Amino acid sequence: MAVDTLLERITDYANRPDPYPLYAELRAAGVARQADGSYLVGGYYDIVALFHDPRLSSDRRNRAAPYLGLPVEEELLVPFIRLDDPEHHRLRALAMRPFGPPHSPARVDAMREEIALVTGELAEGLRGRTRIDLVDDFAYPLPVTVICRLLGVPRGDEPVFREWSAAIIEAADIRPGESAGKRERAGVQARTEMGRYLVDLAERRRDRPSDDMLSAFVNDPGPERPLTREELAATAVLLLVAGHETTVNLITNGVLTLLRHPDQLERLRHDPGLLPGAVEELLRYEPPVHLLQRVPLAHIDVGGTTIPKGVPVVLVPASGSRDPVRFRDPDRFDPARTDNQHLGFGSGVHFCYGAPLARIEAQTALAALLPLLGTATLLEDPPPYRHSALLRGPRHLPLELSP
């Protein structure tokens, strides 16, 4: 097929179970201009170079007129991952103060025990059952519980923000040939409502802080000017949504991959010390995030192709992480793989803010599940996938467990 239909085919739900042959086609084509005028980039070294190129913007408002979305005034809550430096750096630094080094170096590590307790409770709830849905019974509630406790969000409010999260993810998805106006407006509304909810929680803790990040945002504003109400809303929404959506996919894709590779599953069951490396390999082999959209601020040459200023560029890090130019035998799942500089968390100034937490959650989750997976059978393969091509993972993963 013509390479100018690659994005259309990649985002076609029929290809959600296995987009990797299409990624191979993309790498063979180099940089592929699409029918809608956008450009696809799937080679490892090209993607890394673009991640580090300051001429490539994360701010969609820099798109040329034919590709513009909602008017600027409708998008008031723009998260820092969709901004460029210096604003991106300022907001990310403020968000990092209560989360990680240098201001809070022990925050994530101190959560290990709590994550292990939550994981143990969820795993114990699976014992004695013969059928489970790994997503609903384990992979979703674990990161949701963790991010709620980290931010200071009542776990009982999860049904409300789950609907908001779904609308926000839908709005961010990439679907060529489809007008995104309705989805984008629904996403804006969801971000606005969730933002109000989170700011209200934070304001209740002003001058009465507890040990959570929302309290820190309003009681420890840092050396620079503090977050405005809109910036606090956008940052809190980002952390709540990204803090669980991607980790759900990482855990679920991990279990699916292990059950498809029983030899490697047994290897891990007998040598759990391989788990940290196995999680890195899962981030390479079956990552949660597949597509990222960027905008050139000037004409950019990539692999001999000139991408014009303002024309959307879709980076496919999931393709880069299977590039045979960079990885030996890239379509083989190997938990003991070395030299594994995958793109599962991105690269450059937008490297995933929550990577340390996601690694701990995934390692703890898989360690707790390994004893159960030895008797587990996939009831559907492929399982039903979520609609999103950007955040790719099963919506359900039904398993049969032997007593």
Side-chain angles (χ1 to χ4, degrees):
M1 293 187 183
V3 296
D4 66 356
T5 65
L6 267 170
L7 184 58
E8 182 181 347
R9 286 182 278 145
I10 288 169
T11 56
D12 184 343
Y13 184 76
N15 291 316
R16 201 71 74 249
D18 186 13
Y20 296 102
L22 297 173
Y23 296 164
E25 189 178 338
L26 169 60
R27 291 191 299 270
V31 177
R33 187 174 188 273
Q34 300 303 287
D36 65 356
S38 65
Y39 288 79
L40 270 180
V41 182
Y44 179 90
Y45 291 107
D46 286 337
I47 292 172
V48 170
L50 290 171
F51 272 142
H52 290 262
D53 193 329
R55 298 172 299 169
L56 206 67
S57 171
S58 295
D59 192 334
R60 299 177 189 178
R61 294 170 295 185
N62 287 316
R63 290 179 290 188
Y67 307 101
L68 283 174
L70 296 178
V72 172
E73 60 271 16
E74 291 193 45
E75 286 206 277
L76 295 176
L77 305 184
V78 180
F80 62 76
I81 60 169
R82 283 180 46 199
L83 295 173
D84 302 325
D85 289 341
E87 272 302 278
H88 161 263
H89 176 76
R90 181 182 74 84
L91 294 171
R92 182 179 172 116
L94 287 171
M96 280 298 293
R97 280 181 66 80
F99 183 73
H103 187 72
S104 305
R107 166 75 76 173
V108 173
D109 201 54
M111 294 195 69
R112 285 181 183 272
E113 185 176 349
E114 189 165 10
I115 292 170
L117 286 172
V118 174
T119 304
E121 290 171 2
L122 289 169
E124 187 60 32
L126 304 180
R127 298 185 191 282
R129 296 176 57 181
T130 57
R131 291 200 175 194
I132 65 168
D133 177 356
L134 188 89
V135 176
D136 288 345
D137 295 327
F138 187 93
Y140 182 81
L142 171 58
V144 165
T145 302
V146 171
I147 197 63
C148 283
R149 293 186 183 178
L150 184 63
L151 285 173
V153 175
R155 180 69 170 82
D157 289 349
E158 180 271 334
V160 180
F161 66 72
R162 187 174 195 175
E163 291 185 20
W164 287 329
S165 292
I168 292 167
I169 296 300
E170 277 280 298
D173 204 16
I174 298 171
R175 300 179 193 173
E178 175 188 312
S179 174
K182 185 176 180 181
R183 285 190 292 110
E184 286 185 349
R185 284 187 169 83
V188 166
Q189 181 177 347
R191 283 199 301 273
T192 301
E193 292 175 1
M194 185 187 279
R196 268 195 224 109
Y197 160 82
L198 291 168
V199 169
D200 181 59
L201 285 178
E203 288 296 340
R204 290 183 214 166
R205 290 163 201 166
R206 191 180 292 277
D207 301 323
R208 297 186 298 276
S210 52
D211 186 25
D212 58 69
M213 290 181 63
L214 290 179
S215 291
F217 287 148
V218 293
N219 290 290
D220 178 27
E224 301 182 39
R225 64 181 175 88
L227 295 168
T228 66
R229 186 180 180 87
E230 290 75 20
E231 290 167 347
L232 172 57
T235 299
V237 168
L238 169 65
L239 300 185
L240 182 56
V241 175
H244 73 275
E245 290 284 357
T246 52
T247 309
V248 173
N249 283 355
L250 176 56
I251 295 169
T252 310
N253 286 335
V255 170
L256 177 59
T257 299
L258 289 174
L259 291 175
R260 285 172 169 173
H261 296 83
D263 56 333
Q264 299 298 349
L265 172 58
E266 282 305 301
R267 186 180 182 187
L268 286 173
R269 280 165 53 82
H270 287 96
D271 187 3
L274 291 172
L275 270 174
V279 169
E280 298 308 306
E281 176 69 343
L282 289 167
L283 284 160
R284 183 197 71 82
Y285 184 81
E286 281 281 22
V289 180
H290 277 233
L291 311 174
L292 294 169
Q293 193 171 108
R294 298 288 189 262
V295 186
L297 299 175
H299 292 357
I300 296 179
D301 181 82
V302 182
T305 298
T306 299
I307 302 177
K309 174 183 176 180
V311 174
V313 178
V314 178
L315 307 180
V316 191
S319 167
S321 287
R322 291 227 194 171
D323 190 342
V325 174
R326 173 61 182 82
F327 298 97
R328 179 177 297 179
D329 200 4
D331 293 322
R332 181 170 65 91
F333 172 65
D334 180 8
R337 184 183 295 271
T338 58
D339 186 27
N340 193 356
Q341 282 188 292
H342 58 76
L343 300 177
F345 288 130
S347 187
V349 297
H350 286 283
F351 183 82
C352 177
Y353 168 103
L357 182 62
R359 284 184 164 114
I360 292 172
E361 289 180 272
Q363 290 171 24
T364 307
L366 292 177
L369 290 170
L370 282 177
L372 297 173
L373 295 182
T375 64
T377 303
L378 288 168
L379 292 177
E380 291 184 64
D381 194 9
Y385 275 78
R386 301 168 69 172
H387 196 281
S388 175
L390 188 155
L391 293 178
R392 176 183 168 273
R395 173 59 190 89
H396 297 285
L397 190 62
L399 305 179
E400 184 172 77
L401 303 178
S402 300

